[in-house]
Amino acid sequence: MDFYDLKYNFCDTGFDETGSTKSNRVFTIVLGNALPKKLVGKTDSNFYTHYSFISTVEANWGLHTLGRWDVGANVLDFVADKTGDKLHSVDINAIQLNSSYPGIFNNGNVAKQPVPNTNLVVNGRIAFPAIQMQWASQVHCTGYFGRVVPPLKAYNSEDSKWVLRCHDGHIGFR
């Protein structure tokens, strides 16, 4: 397929957290002719996060992963049908994604970022080689093992279920 061939494009428009204390379901619209006609006007009840759109692009074009929450994120169903990616079930009623995890580009307090797990392989896709090189010496410090559900908020790293202490006393974040 020609990279500039617009015959197979899609655009997603999603809305962020509702701010509610109830279980959060975010309305997202997928547009474009890459979406199979049989799915037009349909609802997809699979569990997706913002990372699902990154993992969908990675899966669709056979790109490397980033070694973090993109690895475990579900690929959009209609792309997973083509790539063979397995979708993971999540009890949406058991979690609340109503608060953000402040990432690297956040203007406020930035939460500590976990060491990427460069050993994870998803449907044959491995971490980007430059990420592997940068983090190879610290991969034993990772606390990420392919979870589908990303961190729910910027909680204290000492309380985190996925923080791992390295032998040198550092926490598995950078």
Side-chain angles (χ1 to χ4, degrees), residues 25-59:
R25 291 186 173 86
V26 179
F27 179 71
T28 300
I29 300 171
V30 177
L31 306 168
N33 50 10
L35 185 69
K37 291 192 185 313
K38 68 181 181 180
L39 297 179
V40 173
K42 304 292 185 208
T43 299
D44 183 346
S45 61
N46 289 301
F47 178 76
Y48 301 112
T49 66
H50 294 76
Y51 299 104
S52 294
F53 297 104
I54 297 170
S55 66
T56 297
V57 168
E58 293 165 349

Side-chain angles (χ1 to χ4, degrees), residues 81 134 148:
D81 284 345
Q134 175 70 30
V148 176

Side-chain angles (χ1 to χ4, degrees), residues 110-132:
V110 176
K112 294 180 178 181
Q113 303 299 304
V115 173
N117 189 332
T118 57
N119 294 328
L120 291 176
V121 178
V122 58
N123 202 27
R125 295 183 302 279
I126 61 172
F128 188 67
I131 292 172
Q132 290 182 32

Side-chain angles (χ1 to χ4, degrees), residues 97-117:
L97 292 173
N98 296 0
S99 57
S100 295
Y101 187 87
I104 295 167
F105 298 111
N106 186 295
N107 291 335
N109 291 335
V110 176
K112 294 180 178 181
Q113 303 299 304
V115 173
N117 189 332

Side-chain angles (χ1 to χ4, degrees), residues 68-118:
R68 289 192 174 131
W69 299 288
D70 59 316
V71 179
N74 280 334
V75 170
L76 294 181
D77 189 37
F78 72 94
V79 174
D81 284 345
K82 303 273 186 203
T83 63
D85 283 83
K86 181 182 178 231
L87 296 178
H88 304 279
S89 297
V90 172
D91 179 6
I92 188 74
N93 296 311
I95 60 171
Q96 286 185 304
L97 292 173
N98 296 0
S99 57
S100 295
Y101 187 87
I104 295 167
F105 298 111
N106 186 295
N107 291 335
N109 291 335
V110 176
K112 294 180 178 181
Q113 303 299 304
V115 173
N117 189 332
T118 57

